[in-house]
Amino acid sequence: MKVVKTAAIAATLSLTAALSLGAQASTLQDVQARGELNCVVTTGVAGFAAPDENGRWEGFDVDLCRAVAAAVLGDAEKVKFIPTSAKTRFTILNSGEGDILFRNTTETMSRDVDLKLTFLPVNYYDGQGFLIRKELGITSAKDLDGASICIQTGTTTELNLADFFRTTGISYEPVAVETNEEGITNYSANRCDAYTTDASALASIRAALEDPSAHIILPEIISKEPLGGAVRQGDDQWADIGKWVVNAMINAEELGVTQANVAKLASKAGNNPSINRLLGTESNMGEMVGLDNAWAVRVIAAIGNYGESFDRHIGPNTPIGLSRGLNALWKDGGILYAAPIR
Amino acid sequence: MNEVALPQPQRNIVSRLWNDKETRQVIIQILAFVVIFAFFFIMVRNAITNLEAIGKDISMDFLSQPSNYDISQSLIEYSSRSTHLRAMTVGIINTLLVAVFGIALATVIGFLLGVCRLSKNWIVNKLAYVYIEYVRNVPVLLHILLVHGIIVNSLPTPKNAVVVNEVAFLTNRGFFIPSPDFQPLYWVVAALFVIGVIFSLRFRKYAQKVQDQTGKHYPVFWICFGAIVGVPFIMYFLLGSPIVWEIPELKGFNYSGGLVIRPEFIALWLALSIYTAAFIGEIVRAGISAVDWGQNEAAAALGVTRGRTLSLVVIPQALRIIIPPLTSQYLNLAKNSSLAIAIGYMDIVATIGGITLNQTGREMECMAIVLTLYLIFSLLISSGMNWYNNRIKLVER
Ligand SMILES: N[C@@H](CCC(=O)N[C@@H](CS)C(=O)NCC(=O)O)C(=O)O
């Protein structure tokens, strides 16, 4: 009878396993029960998300993962990073393996509607550029006729590239690979004349090349790449949490709340109601979204505000050296404009 | 007749069935089938329900939408305005291309290795041994990346191309070679070639018959060679070389015109061949060793030369042993070609199972298509090899 028993057990087990896969609990509860946030990031783009020499993940995108963990779990360190290629990121998010995605991902209509994602507010306004060798003496992307161009598959940039060359009526050879690393190998070996992707990522790639000064990023930007985080569609509460964590960081910069002064500002209600609402000394914004009212205090204490995170990882004083540009606050001439916390 | 009442053990029907060996086997098989079937049924149903839950349906409509991406190597007309179906076709052709070329090269290298492994020359023997042991023990993905890395890093850029005879150019962007442009008269040559092949097939049969009946021996090889190669060759020149060659030219960043063989193709092709050849080498060695040495001695006793002993006595028998495991190596090669995306060779997995899947988000549909395609390839290869195996099988009289 042993065989029958084993078979019966196997059948019941697979049945329950299969059924439990179908069950849909709230992501917030899942994450809190697990005590860890599964955050989908890149396999490595220095400045945005990459392990440092000690194996600790660091970067502008990584900060957002930690910010969400700080808000939801009370500890910015309770994050498990899931490195993904451009190709696998959405499958990993949609299958439930990841809870949230911060992976220099462009918001597009088809990703939002057809891939069933919900995008969080844009955290970096970007556009697609070209990285080329200075010695080629090229100044415009329109001079790239017949060039071999390195590109990563599964990206919006791959589609923009096809559109750009089609509309300008010039030819090129796409050299498409799956990971950024293989793309850089190809570019360094001169397999391609140019590497194309989001200009921000190009800055990061350029900084990592053997001699960055031998390469330039063409001033021409051929697309709009609003980069933002994303969650699975269908869990509004979870999407709200992601959305307001990002907004809180931007609002904090606008209100002058920094990592250094947040503890003091949060100790008691002050004169500025906007700061009070952000830091939970007034109203109960945190509770509305299923957290506690000190949620944003923890985020800012652990990560700092938007500008601090920017400067730390990709700003002018880092090897990546990006200026704020479009990503300056609206009152400083940029287009960063977060909905108010009220 | 007097029945002796044996004490019947009190057992119910279930345990009686269970104790019968044959019934038990049937029961186990039925149970196993039910469990496996139920498992897959639930998984599929689950996938569909989960997809429904997030509002995704299963549909193949995307195949007729424009793909919006470019593909570097395409043997058929293709642009980013073509459909996903067309992109898939490009992928299928690219997979077939690398599989067919890979199988051919792996077989040649493999047979050479097998023969070297049996060589009495110590150096040759050991070199083959080292090759096989090294290659077999390194994952095929590493071979692919290594060969690609070597090509891309060691060959020059187009501006410093290695020029062969002023017509072919070796660069790390690919090998640019002249492409033939066939003039109308060329088809006369092509027709002569086909006629030559048909003639040779007939002539061989005829020569065999004559030899069987009268013992007269024709120089079959040379006559066939003349018919297939010689006559068309002479005709080609008589007609004034009716092929115009288009020679690649350096324009801007790259060569244009002519034919280009991309480094990605070469890397994948070589890596798959080198890797699979190591396994084929061992299969060939085993196959030849398995033919009884007495067969050689018998042939020698009859005065058959060593070369003829090999081709008429040893190899035909060894092939019977070699073909079945060889088939599975061919299948492996075809399946391993799916690693193409690592270096950006646009095969099935990179097109329909990669970019299309990713840009349309149709995971289930694309993966189902990819699985079906590989299944079809594998079935085609095995049935081809089985056909060949049956043909060379020992015909019992
Ligand atoms: N923003 C584009 C491109 C994003 C993307 O994948 N960029 C590459 C270019 S560097 C990248 O981050 N690769 C890192 C990796 O593969 O881990 C998109 O969302 O499709």
Side-chain angles (χ1 to χ4, degrees):
Chain A
M1 290 312 274
K2 212 170 151 207
V3 187
V4 187
K5 241 191 206 154
T6 335
I9 293 171
T12 349
L13 275 184
S14 52
L15 211 97
T16 37
L19 286 179
S20 61
L21 275 175
Q24 305 254 333
S26 118
T27 315
L28 177 62
Q29 280 167 14
D30 283 354
V31 172
Q32 282 173 339
R34 197 188 310 131
E36 191 173 51
L37 177 76
N38 293 333
C39 194
V40 179
V41 292
T42 65
T43 56
V45 175
F48 286 85
D52 67 8
E53 56 271 23
N54 304 319
R56 184 182 151 82
W57 282 86
E58 285 296 352
F60 188 60
D61 279 345
V62 165
D63 271 2
L64 287 170
C65 297
R66 296 221 166 95
V68 173
V72 170
L73 298 168
D75 185 347
E77 295 308 311
K78 295 221 167 110
V79 184
K80 187 173 135 214
F81 293 97
I82 308 180
T84 57
S85 71
K87 205 178 127 182
T88 53
R89 55 185 151 171
F90 302 126
T91 317
I92 286 183
L93 181 64
N94 265 338
S95 69
E97 203 179 324
D99 300 314
I100 196 163
L101 170 148
F102 289 108
R103 192 205 169 283
N104 43 22
T105 291
T106 307
E107 173 171 4
T108 68
M109 179 163 172
S110 63
R111 284 176 179 175
D112 187 17
V113 179
D114 203 27
L115 297 193
K116 308 292 171 194
L117 305 176
T118 297
F119 277 90
L120 309 181
V122 174
N123 68 315
Y124 191 97
Y125 290 94
D126 208 346
Q128 182 174 352
F130 293 89
L131 177 73
I132 61 161
R133 288 183 179 70
K134 240 184 211 159
E135 64 186 21
L136 288 178
I138 295 258
T139 51
S140 160
K142 300 212 169 62
D143 300 333
L144 285 171
D145 193 8
S148 302
I149 299 185
C150 279
I151 176 91
Q152 214 180 323
T153 77
T155 59
T156 47
T157 50
E158 159 181 69
L159 306 180
N160 300 333
L161 186 70
D163 287 357
F164 174 77
F165 278 89
R166 190 168 185 86
T167 47
T168 40
I170 54 182
S171 68
Y172 74 109
E173 181 216 351
V175 183
V177 291
E178 192 171 350
T179 64
N180 189 22
E181 205 185 316
E182 184 67 15
I184 295 175
T185 311
N186 270 338
Y187 177 75
S188 309
N190 226 322
R191 170 69 183 87
C192 324
D193 299 296
Y195 192 144
T196 183
T197 185
D198 303 332
S200 63
L202 286 181
S204 150
I205 291 169
R206 177 172 175 269
L209 289 174
E210 215 167 287
D211 175 15
S213 64
H215 305 266
I216 54 162
I217 297 170
L218 293 180
E220 223 155 342
I221 293 294
I222 64 165
S223 71
K224 290 187 289 186
E225 307 288 335
L227 308 182
V231 295
R232 280 182 296 282
Q233 187 168 302
D235 186 343
D236 289 351
Q237 182 197 27
W238 184 242
D240 282 342
I241 291 174
K243 173 176 177 180
W244 290 102
V245 166
V246 176
N247 280 341
M249 286 177 65
I250 301 175
N251 277 314
E253 182 180 13
E254 204 173 318
L255 297 168
V257 181
T258 66
Q259 207 168 7
N261 67 16
V262 65
K264 195 166 144 267
L265 289 172
S267 58
K268 62 172 186 351
N271 232 346
N272 187 336
S274 292
I275 296 181
N276 293 348
R277 276 191 299 272
L278 174 68
L279 302 183
T281 49
E282 189 183 317
S283 315
N284 43 2
M285 306 313 255
E287 278 164 20
M288 284 182 199
V289 77
L291 303 172
D292 62 327
N293 289 332
W295 63 291
V297 179
R298 286 194 300 271
V299 168
I300 300 161
I303 306 302
N305 65 36
Y306 179 93
E308 288 178 295
S309 172
F310 191 105
D311 289 340
R312 192 161 56 230
H313 299 295
I314 54 180
N317 296 327
T318 65
I320 321 281
L322 292 167
S323 60
R324 286 290 288 264
L326 283 181
N327 297 294
L329 294 175
W330 61 281
K331 55 178 195 180
D332 300 336
I335 56 175
L336 213 58
Y337 188 98
I341 296 192
R342 75 153 63 249
Chain B
M1 253 209 242
N2 244 350
E3 294 225 341
V4 185
L6 283 171
Q8 282 284 323
Q10 284 299 305
R11 280 197 257 147
N12 60 26
I13 179 114
V14 175
S15 52
R16 276 225 306 280
L17 283 175
W18 190 249
N19 280 333
D20 179 61
K21 196 166 163 238
E22 269 166 37
T23 337
R24 188 166 62 214
Q25 279 170 349
V26 172
I27 296 177
I28 292 178
Q29 285 186 18
I30 293 177
L31 278 177
F33 177 79
V34 169
V35 169
I36 292 170
F37 183 82
F39 180 74
F40 280 105
F41 178 77
I42 292 171
M43 287 309 259
V44 168
R45 211 200 50 180
N46 214 343
I48 294 177
T49 342
N50 279 354
L51 284 175
E52 257 169 19
I54 57 169
K56 275 173 114 172
D57 55 346
I58 298 258
S59 144
M60 291 285 175
D61 291 348
F62 68 97
L63 283 175
S64 56
Q65 301 286 321
S67 68
N68 284 320
Y69 61 88
D70 287 308
I71 297 179
S72 56
Q73 174 188 307
S74 167
L75 294 186
I76 55 173
E77 198 71 37
Y78 174 84
S79 81
S80 59
R81 302 312 306 152
S82 309
T83 59
H84 283 295
L85 190 68
R86 188 97 183 155
M88 175 180 93
T89 316
V90 173
I92 294 176
I93 294 175
N94 285 347
T95 291
L96 286 179
L97 192 72
V98 81
V100 168
F101 276 80
I103 285 176
L105 185 61
T107 311
V108 173
I109 307 178
F111 271 76
L112 282 178
L113 279 175
V115 173
C116 290
R117 280 289 277 127
L118 292 170
S119 162
K120 291 205 179 67
N121 181 323
W122 191 85
I123 297 184
V124 170
N125 190 320
K126 286 299 174 245
L127 274 180
Y129 173 74
V130 170
Y131 173 99
I132 290 174
E133 285 309 314
Y134 163 69
V135 166
R136 278 203 306 188
N137 290 302
V138 175
V140 62
L141 179 62
L142 292 187
H143 285 294
I144 296 174
L145 292 174
L146 182 73
V147 178
H148 186 250
I150 291 176
I151 295 180
V152 164
N153 281 298
S154 65
L155 284 172
T157 56
K159 292 214 169 60
N160 311 309
V162 178
V163 181
V164 184
N165 255 341
E166 298 297 321
V167 292
F169 307 87
L170 307 189
T171 76
N172 70 347
R173 308 280 170 84
F175 298 171
F176 296 84
I177 55 175
S179 61
D181 185 5
F182 300 110
Q183 308 295 307
L185 272 182
Y186 175 77
W187 302 113
V188 177
V189 180
L192 276 178
F193 173 79
V194 174
I195 293 171
V197 171
I198 297 173
F199 166 80
S200 299
L201 288 176
R202 296 241 164 141
F203 179 72
R204 218 179 55 162
K205 261 202 196 125
Y206 167 78
Q208 185 71 50
K209 214 169 85 190
V210 172
Q211 189 179 3
D212 286 351
Q213 283 169 359
T214 68
K216 193 165 154 350
H217 188 74
Y218 285 106
V220 179
F221 176 79
W222 291 111
I223 292 178
C224 292
F225 184 80
I228 298 176
V229 181
V231 177
F233 200 70
I234 294 168
M235 199 56 178
Y236 176 79
F237 286 105
L238 284 182
L239 292 173
S241 311
I243 296 185
V244 176
W245 294 92
E246 192 193 5
I247 296 175
E249 243 182 298
L250 184 60
K251 274 202 201 128
F253 295 96
N254 275 315
Y255 280 89
S256 63
L259 267 181
V260 52
I261 312 170
R262 295 281 175 209
E264 287 72 32
F265 171 78
I266 299 173
L268 189 64
W269 173 46
L270 290 184
L272 290 177
S273 308
I274 289 170
Y275 180 74
T276 314
F279 294 86
I280 296 182
E282 282 300 89
I283 292 170
V284 170
R285 182 186 64 86
I288 295 180
S289 312
V291 178
D292 195 273
W293 184 247
Q295 301 275 332
N296 283 279
E297 289 171 339
L302 288 174
V304 183
T305 60
R306 241 191 91 56
R308 297 210 133 217
T309 308
L310 254 184
S311 67
L312 293 178
V313 178
V314 179
I315 292 189
Q317 299 188 70
L319 273 185
R320 290 185 195 127
I321 307 168
I322 292 173
I323 296 300
L326 190 62
T327 308
S328 78
Q329 289 309 321
Y330 287 176
L331 292 177
N332 280 348
L333 189 145
K335 287 180 288 184
N336 283 341
S337 75
S338 61
L339 293 168
I341 182 63
I343 52 166
Y345 179 76
M346 289 289 135
D347 72 333
I348 300 175
V349 178
T351 53
I352 184 86
I355 307 182
T356 294
L357 179 154
N358 199 254
Q359 302 293 5
T360 58
R362 298 267 163 210
E363 291 102 347
M364 289 289 176
E365 296 87 335
C366 290
M367 282 336 279
I369 292 176
V370 171
L371 289 179
T372 316
L373 286 174
Y374 276 103
L375 190 64
I376 293 175
F377 288 164
S378 296
L379 289 177
L380 283 180
I381 294 177
S382 345
S383 51
M385 293 298 279
N386 283 342
W387 170 82
Y388 184 64
N389 198 24
N390 282 333
R391 234 181 66 120
I392 60 162
K393 230 167 42 190
L394 200 63
V395 188
E396 296 189 24
R397 276 183 256 229

